[in-house]
Amino acid sequence: NAGVMQNPRHLVRRRGQEARLRCSPMKGHSHVYWYRQLPEEGLKFMVYLQKENIIDESGMPKERFSAEFPKEGPSILRIQQVVRGDSAAYFCASSPQGANVLTFGAGSRLTVL
Amino acid sequence: GESVGLHLPTLSVQEGDNSIINCAYSNSASDYFIWYKQESGKGPQFIIDIRSNMDKRQGQRVTVLLNKTVKHLSLQIAATQPGDSAVYFCAENINQAGTALIFGKGTTLSVSS
């Protein structure tokens, strides 16, 4: 079992560009969560998705950020027109239906120049 | 805003000592709690969890204590080892479908030989 796979592990973008972060959940997991971690801080919940559905996006910024979890393929967190404040580690986690415990990936570290 | 927090941002112990990491939560409706360990450059790893119908749960070298009266959670690590050096987060949620874990800011545990 490969666990939660995130790519890219490191991504560098210039201000105004787009960033796309991918997450493949653990085999058998149908729920995906995205969290953001700023340096020296905790994990901030962003969005919770099931296949083809957004369950809770209360932690997502209103503009420039979007997430999807299509029927086929990985979940994608998309950040348009990135700004320096978007620089952070973005973690994806997954869980089976009805479970509380989240299994996390290794994270994608976004640096905006 | 966050409902989970930690009392101390850092804790330094000697190898072989017992470590106690504390966490306070404010949401009375929370009924499920987890401790995660995050090593540098990695994603959070599950350590131990506890439901609100329990006040103590033990794992291998770790014990979680829950005091619902004062909304306090603690993680005890016995015979702390250098490999235990990491950031420790408590997280909570309400045990119902469609809710995500909410994390506190974390305590950095440093173990010296």
Side-chain angles (χ1 to χ4, degrees):
Chain A
N1 194 333
V4 178
M5 303 302 293
Q6 290 190 247
N7 69 85
R9 292 293 313 278
H10 300 275
L11 182 63
V12 179
R13 285 287 179 267
R14 296 191 180 279
R15 282 179 296 169
Q17 292 184 319
E18 178 179 288
R20 285 193 179 216
L21 309 177
R22 294 173 183 77
C23 170
S24 295
M26 281 186 71
K27 187 176 180 181
H29 287 193
S30 56
H31 298 212
V32 165
Y33 309 76
W34 285 94
Y35 287 80
R36 177 165 63 177
Q37 186 174 37
L38 295 171
E40 310 302 322
E41 294 196 8
L43 291 94
K44 302 285 189 183
F45 167 72
M46 299 181 75
V47 63
Y48 162 33
L49 311 103
Q50 295 177 24
K51 285 284 187 182
E52 300 184 283
N53 282 310
I54 296 175
I55 305 304
D56 180 356
E57 56 181 346
S58 59
M60 287 279 272
K62 299 299 181 191
E63 298 178 347
R64 302 187 297 107
F65 285 72
S66 62
E68 62 175 4
F69 189 15
K71 186 176 180 181
E72 301 292 336
S75 174
I76 296 174
L77 180 67
R78 181 184 179 202
I79 310 172
Q80 295 177 289
Q81 299 173 334
V82 296
V83 301
R84 287 203 175 125
D86 297 332
S87 295
Y90 292 84
F91 288 96
C92 172
S94 70
S95 71
Q97 175 126 11
N100 297 101
V101 179
L102 306 186
T103 301
F104 281 84
S108 292
R109 281 153 183 83
L110 172 66
T111 301
V112 180
L113 301 178
Chain B
E2 288 183 352
S3 63
V4 177
L6 291 169
H7 292 299
L8 291 174
T10 60
L11 176 65
S12 296
V13 301
Q14 292 283 326
E15 182 178 2
D17 287 351
N18 295 333
S19 302
I20 299 176
I21 300 172
N22 295 306
C23 175
Y25 64 96
S26 58
N27 189 346
S28 302
S30 294
D31 56 8
Y32 180 74
F33 305 88
I34 302 182
W35 282 99
Y36 280 90
K37 171 186 179 183
Q38 186 178 26
E39 296 175 277
S40 181
K42 296 183 179 180
Q45 292 178 288
F46 170 84
I47 302 175
I48 192 167
D49 60 357
I50 189 168
R51 296 198 178 278
S52 60
N53 61 352
M54 302 172 68
D55 53 21
K56 180 179 180 179
R57 191 166 186 217
Q58 287 184 291
Q60 187 177 14
R61 280 203 307 120
V62 294
T63 301
V64 55
L65 299 177
L66 175 63
N67 185 331
K68 294 180 287 294
T69 302
V70 294
K71 298 201 206 76
H72 183 267
L73 191 70
S74 69
L75 177 70
Q76 300 178 0
I77 305 173
T80 314
Q81 302 168 1
D84 295 327
S85 294
V87 181
Y88 290 81
F89 295 96
C90 65
E92 62 173 331
N93 78 353
I94 301 168
N95 190 24
Q96 57 187 244
T99 61
L101 287 175
I102 304 300
F103 283 78
K105 288 189 177 180
T107 291
T108 299
L109 175 65
S110 299
V111 182
S112 52
S113 303

